[in-house]
Each structure stands twice: as structure tokens, then as C-alpha cells.
Amino acid sequence: AGKCMTSFGVVVMSVAGTGMGFISFLYFLSLGYAAALGLSSAFCLWAFNTQQSSILVSNLSNVHTSFVLLWAVRMFAFYFHREFVNWPQWHKSIKEADAKTTLESKIMAWMSCSIFYALMFSPCLFRMQADANINWGFVGKSGIALQIFGLALESIADAQKASFKARRADAFD
């Protein structure tokens, strides 16, 4: 029952995070994406490390899911900063697009994105549900190293891009 409830919880977290798209349609693909993965990661870390004591989670599974959470926080902060600080013209364009979007379109986008993001998170969920004694192997450990490197690289690139846009705001009108 614990694994089934956790799977259901990930879907609920994805639906909740993606629901940001009702604020603005493009949030289904930006802030809602980051929120869905962040909430799913936080939920799994909480559920498997505090609520399901019968399942022993491997340290590497916790590291993997924690870095997904960090990536989601970084992505959410980037999208939020981009829209409201670095690129106010983008915010205006989003508002124009929202005016043309119907409720039916939003509901379809919400459901499809929610399911898609829950499925994207499933490798984390499956590793959290797996026996802690299952070996991650060279490929799994290399994947975690690549994940950490990618998070650092994206963070540096976002900082550089934000700095450039702050200095050359006129180039993006």
C-alpha cells in the first residue's frame, strides 16, 4: 500500500504544481513544470525517509532525488526572475497570450502536463521504492555525477545570462 500511495502522491503533487498554469497559461510549461517536479521530489523525500520506515532508501537514491529538488528550485527561481525582473516585456507577452486562452485549453494542458511531469519523475520514484541493497552500478553513479555537473553548469549559465541581460536590457526589446 505504501508504494501505491506514494505513486498517487506524486501524481497529486504534479497536479498541484502544474496548476500554476491557471494563473498564466505559459506557466504550465515553465513555473508549473518546476513546481511539479519540486513538489514531487520533496514529497518523496519526506514520504520515504519519515513515513515509510519499512522501506530502507539508499543514500544514492536520496542524493538523486535531492538534486532533482535542487534543480526544480533553481528552475523555478530562474523562470520567476526572468519574467518579473530581467524581462518585463516577456510578462506583457504572457498576459496577451492569456487573454486568448480558453478554460478548456487550460484544463487540457493541465491534465496532459500533470501526467507527463509525473511520468518524468517516475525514475526517481522507482529508485526510492527499490531495495536499498540494489547496486547503482557505474552507469547510475555516472548519471548522478552528470546530474550534479549539469545543475552547476545550468546555474552558472543562468547567472551569466541574467548578468548580460541586466547590462544590455535594450538588446532584448
Side-chain angles (χ1 to χ4, degrees):
K3 288 182 179 184
C4 180
M5 286 307 296
T6 307
S7 299
F8 178 72
V10 166
V11 172
V12 169
M13 294 298 111
S14 184
V15 167
T18 309
M20 295 187 74
F22 287 102
I23 297 169
S24 175
F25 186 76
L26 294 178
Y27 289 175
F28 285 122
L29 304 172
S30 59
L31 290 170
Y33 171 51
L37 291 181
L39 289 172
S40 296
S41 300
F43 172 75
C44 274
L45 288 167
W46 170 78
F48 283 103
N49 290 294
T50 63
Q51 299 301 307
Q52 295 181 353
S53 58
S54 64
I55 297 175
L56 180 63
V57 179
S58 76
N59 289 335
L60 287 177
S61 295
N62 278 321
V63 167
H64 179 228
T65 304
S66 295
F67 272 93
V68 171
L69 176 60
L70 288 173
W71 176 86
V73 168
R74 184 209 64 81
M75 181 65 75
F76 190 92
F78 169 75
Y79 284 138
F80 191 84
H81 188 265
R82 177 185 71 181
E83 181 175 345
F84 293 104
V85 178
N86 268 8
W87 206 358
Q89 305 90 303
W90 177 251
H91 185 70
K92 183 180 176 189
S93 297
I94 287 175
K95 293 300 175 194
E96 292 170 4
D98 284 339
K100 300 175 186 173
T101 306
T102 65
L103 180 61
E104 293 83 14
S105 296
K106 286 187 175 189
I107 291 171
M108 291 302 296
W110 182 39
M111 290 295 103
S112 59
C113 287
S114 295
I115 292 166
F116 182 62
Y117 300 154
L119 290 173
M120 284 179 66
F121 185 77
S122 64
C124 280
L125 176 62
F126 297 152
R127 283 308 269 185
M128 295 292 280
Q129 291 174 338
D131 184 353
N133 296 319
I134 294 176
N135 189 347
W136 272 74
F138 175 76
V139 173
K141 291 174 184 173
S142 297
I144 290 176
L146 187 60
Q147 178 185 21
I148 293 167
F149 175 74
L151 178 63
L153 190 65
E154 283 186 8
S155 299
I156 292 167
D158 288 346
Q160 289 176 336
K161 188 172 16 176
S163 173
F164 178 78
K165 285 184 177 181
R167 288 191 317 267
R168 299 279 320 266
D170 60 316
F172 298 97
D173 288 337

